[in-house]
Amino acid sequence: MEDWIYILNPSKDTLDGEPSTSETIHRLAREEPELDLWLSRCNRMNKGDRLWFFFTHPVSAVAAVADIDDVPHVDPEGPEYGYRVDVTLLTEPTQALFGNPVPREDLRLGQVRSVQKVKPEALPLLLARAGL
């Protein structure tokens, strides 16, 4: 199992026309946890991997988590996004992270890319905050 960071910029990224804020993701975790997300590259994600949602502002932090439901696939709609991945938000862990997010400085992120692997030294803190 691999753990991935998925970067969301609420001022640029949307989820079905809604801003991709931690509040939106928190609500979706309760109401509609299955998501279809775009990827700029085909990462080596596998079914069962975890995806941690990092929000760039107003606070740079991880505040949600999902299970990856299947491997990334080519987006048939065109090259703008390239790839798609199906995930399911984990309701209780997302609620825990929403209330106590993991700030950027605790993640030891270097250059922020759209998707990257979680640093091994940051994983215990993420798991603890999410109650996993």
Side-chain angles (χ1 to χ4, degrees), residues 4-7 38-41 43 45 51 113-117:
W4 302 85
I5 300 271
Y6 186 81
I7 311 295
W38 67 269
L39 301 168
S40 58
R41 302 179 314 153
N43 296 285
M45 296 174 176
L51 195 64
R113 295 183 307 257
S114 61
V115 176
Q116 60 197 72
K117 286 189 178 179

Side-chain angles (χ1 to χ4, degrees), residues 27-70:
R27 180 183 55 76
L28 289 172
R30 291 186 318 271
E31 297 174 5
E32 298 177 52
E34 294 179 1
L35 300 176
D36 174 27
L37 304 172
W38 67 269
L39 301 168
S40 58
R41 302 179 314 153
C42 188
N43 296 285
R44 291 196 167 113
M45 296 174 176
N46 292 298
K47 181 177 181 173
D49 286 358
R50 275 187 296 254
L51 195 64
W52 301 86
F53 290 82
F54 177 86
F55 299 88
T56 58
H57 63 77
V59 176
S60 294
V62 167
V65 62
D67 279 336
I68 296 174
D69 297 331
D70 206 352

Side-chain angles (χ1 to χ4, degrees), residues 7-13 19-23 53-63 104 112:
I7 311 295
L8 285 172
N9 181 339
S11 65
K12 294 181 180 177
D13 300 320
S20 57
T21 62
S22 59
E23 290 82 6
F53 290 82
F54 177 86
F55 299 88
T56 58
H57 63 77
V59 176
S60 294
V62 167
R104 179 187 175 133
V112 178

